[in-house]
Amino acid sequence: MASMATFLKFLCLLGVARAIRQEGQMEAEALSELEAEAEAEVEVEGAPGRLYAELRRAKNLASQAEKLAATHEETTKAAAAAADDQEDKANMEAQKQAEASKMAETEVEKKLSATKKHEDAVKTHDEANKAWQKALAEMKKAQEASLKATKAYTDRKAEIEKIRANLAKEEQKLMDKAEAAKNLLDKKTLVQQTLQDKALAVGAAKTQTVAALENQRAVVQSAQEKLNAQIVKAQDASTKAQELRAAATAADSKYHEAVSSHQAKKACRGLIESVINSVTTFYDNVDILYDDLTARYDQAEEQGDTNYKPWEQIKSHKELKPVLSKYNSVVLAYKTLGAQCPDIYKKVVGTIAEVKTNSQEQIRAVCDPADQLKEMADSSQVVKHCGAGLWSSVGLEEQP
């Protein structure tokens, strides 16, 4: 712009010099004409006339030179004034264009900064999404392992149930044999008692009765020993059945634990998917709000609308409440994940601050793109119009 002003000034000075040169040529031509007239008079009137002509010529030349000098002075003065005026106009135009260039350069820098923040937010969003996809893949692997363990346990449980059924049958057989032996012993005891009664009644057959009684006692003793052996076998079988029953109970417990673990991991997978969906929906709403308000601001700048206040536009925008509502949904999804799946929550907890920071930067980028509120003496205006004040403007409270 400074070089343009210098160039205009040069053109003005060049015009003045040209005018002066033309006036000089006119003056020289006028003097030449006067000299020619004087010489003509000298030739006509003779020697006395030559002196008079010389004097008159000198007078005329002086008078004409004075007029030409006066005219030259006025022309030079007017040309100088015009040159000064053109220089002032050129300087004012150069200053105006310099200020416009500076404002345009500042606006471009601000837009580039806002665009850079938006690109950084998108990049952070992509990195967080990759971390969630990795956690989801790990959850799927854990689920497959749990399903394999559940199948193995189910197969083992079926085998145990089959063994348990067979043991129950054997135990019942042994118990039936023991009951039969007991009935046999009762019968033999009854016979022994009968023999004793007969021995007392018949004294003559006492010796034979005693011998028979001893023999019967031996038979009873043998039956008792067999009964005891059968009872031991029945007890052993019962003990083995109890052990198998305890093993089956333990297997049942492990099965239920595996089922519970499977259900918990399945629930965690659902929760991490809920977090991903909440964050994705939230960023989509933020992008809609950001793009629309950026377009409005650019249009206002192009039209030179000095009354445009972006912080008032965002409060009345129909997408503000959905954006803030979706942010609360993201926070609640993270809290639910942390309460029910702390191990997975530890892997993604760092993304919470990134989501909050990036969304705040995008909202402030369209709420105060030219940093008008930020440059005010009252720093609370930024929080009032572009921070916590946005929540109260739509009747919502921010989830901590």
Side-chain angles (χ1 to χ4, degrees), residues 7-35:
F7 178 68
L8 293 173
K9 182 177 181 181
F10 171 73
L11 290 178
C12 293
L13 293 176
L14 184 62
V16 173
R18 186 178 297 150
I20 293 173
R21 185 169 62 253
Q22 291 175 351
E23 290 173 0
Q25 291 176 353
M26 293 173 61
E27 181 180 357
E29 292 173 356
L31 290 175
S32 297
E33 290 176 357
L34 290 174
E35 289 176 353

Side-chain angles (χ1 to χ4, degrees), residues 318-366:
K318 64 179 182 179
E319 290 296 329
L320 177 61
K321 189 170 183 177
V323 164
L324 299 181
S325 179
K326 292 297 187 300
Y327 173 80
N328 280 344
S329 297
V330 170
V331 174
L332 290 175
Y334 271 108
K335 286 183 177 181
T336 304
L337 180 65
Q340 299 186 22
C341 308
D343 292 338
I344 297 177
Y345 177 76
K346 290 178 182 178
K347 296 179 181 180
V348 299
V349 64
T351 60
I352 300 175
E354 294 178 4
V355 172
K356 184 173 184 179
T357 300
N358 292 335
S359 60
Q360 287 178 345
E361 289 180 354
Q362 283 189 276
I363 289 175
R364 288 180 181 175
V366 294

Side-chain angles (χ1 to χ4, degrees), residues 2-291:
S3 61
M4 178 62 73
T6 303
F7 178 68
L8 293 173
K9 182 177 181 181
F10 171 73
L11 290 178
C12 293
L13 293 176
L14 184 62
V16 173
R18 186 178 297 150
I20 293 173
R21 185 169 62 253
Q22 291 175 351
E23 290 173 0
Q25 291 176 353
M26 293 173 61
E27 181 180 357
E29 292 173 356
L31 290 175
S32 297
E33 290 176 357
L34 290 174
E35 289 176 353
E37 292 176 358
E39 289 175 355
E41 290 179 357
V42 170
E43 291 176 357
V44 174
E45 296 178 0
R50 184 182 300 117
L51 178 61
Y52 177 75
E54 289 291 339
L55 293 174
R56 190 174 64 179
R57 184 181 67 176
K59 179 181 178 181
N60 290 335
L61 287 174
S63 177
Q64 189 66 22
E66 181 182 0
K67 292 179 180 179
L68 291 174
T71 301
H72 175 65
E73 180 182 355
E74 292 298 325
T75 303
T76 303
K77 182 178 180 181
D84 290 339
D85 184 58
Q86 290 295 328
E87 181 181 2
D88 292 339
K89 291 181 178 179
N91 288 334
M92 291 177 64
E93 180 64 21
Q95 184 178 2
K96 183 179 180 180
Q97 292 298 326
E99 292 176 354
S101 297
K102 185 176 180 181
M103 291 177 63
E105 182 179 356
T106 302
E107 183 62 25
V108 170
E109 290 177 353
K110 290 180 180 179
K111 290 183 178 179
L112 288 175
S113 177
T115 302
K116 179 65 169 55
K117 291 179 180 178
H118 181 62
E119 291 175 351
D120 292 342
V122 172
K123 182 178 179 182
T124 302
H125 176 211
D126 291 340
E127 292 175 352
N129 189 43
K130 289 180 181 179
W132 292 325
Q133 292 296 335
K134 184 177 179 181
L136 184 60
E138 292 178 357
M139 283 293 302
K140 289 181 178 179
K141 290 181 180 179
Q143 182 183 10
E144 291 174 358
S146 177
L147 290 173
K148 289 181 180 180
T150 302
K151 185 178 182 304
Y153 169 75
T154 303
D155 295 341
R156 179 59 179 166
K157 182 181 179 183
E159 293 177 3
I160 292 173
E161 290 294 337
K162 186 176 180 180
I163 293 172
R164 184 186 296 174
N166 292 333
L167 287 174
K169 290 180 181 179
E170 291 296 327
E171 182 180 4
Q172 186 61 42
K173 289 180 180 179
L174 292 173
M175 294 299 293
D176 292 342
K177 288 181 180 181
E179 183 65 25
K182 184 175 180 297
N183 293 335
L184 179 60
L185 178 62
D186 292 340
K187 289 180 180 180
K188 289 183 178 182
T189 302
L190 180 60
V191 171
Q192 181 183 2
Q193 185 64 40
T194 302
L195 291 174
Q196 288 178 349
D197 293 341
K198 288 181 179 181
L200 292 174
V202 183
K206 182 177 180 180
T207 302
Q208 294 179 355
T209 301
V210 171
L213 179 59
E214 290 297 333
N215 291 334
Q216 190 63 35
R217 285 179 177 174
V219 173
V220 172
Q221 183 65 34
S222 176
Q224 182 67 46
E225 291 175 355
K226 289 181 180 180
L227 175 61
N228 292 337
Q230 190 64 39
I231 291 174
V232 170
K233 289 181 180 181
Q235 290 175 345
D236 291 340
S238 178
T239 300
K240 188 174 183 180
Q242 290 177 356
E243 292 175 352
L244 291 174
R245 190 177 294 111
T249 302
D252 282 338
S253 177
K254 289 183 179 179
Y255 168 73
H256 290 303
E257 289 177 359
V259 171
S260 298
S261 176
H262 179 203
Q263 294 297 328
K265 290 179 179 178
K266 183 177 180 180
C268 288
R269 185 188 66 178
L271 290 175
I272 192 67
E273 289 177 349
S274 177
V275 169
I276 293 173
N277 292 335
S278 297
V279 172
T280 301
T281 303
F282 170 64
Y283 271 120
D284 290 343
N285 283 88
V286 171
D287 288 342
I288 293 172
L289 179 66
Y290 178 89
D291 293 341

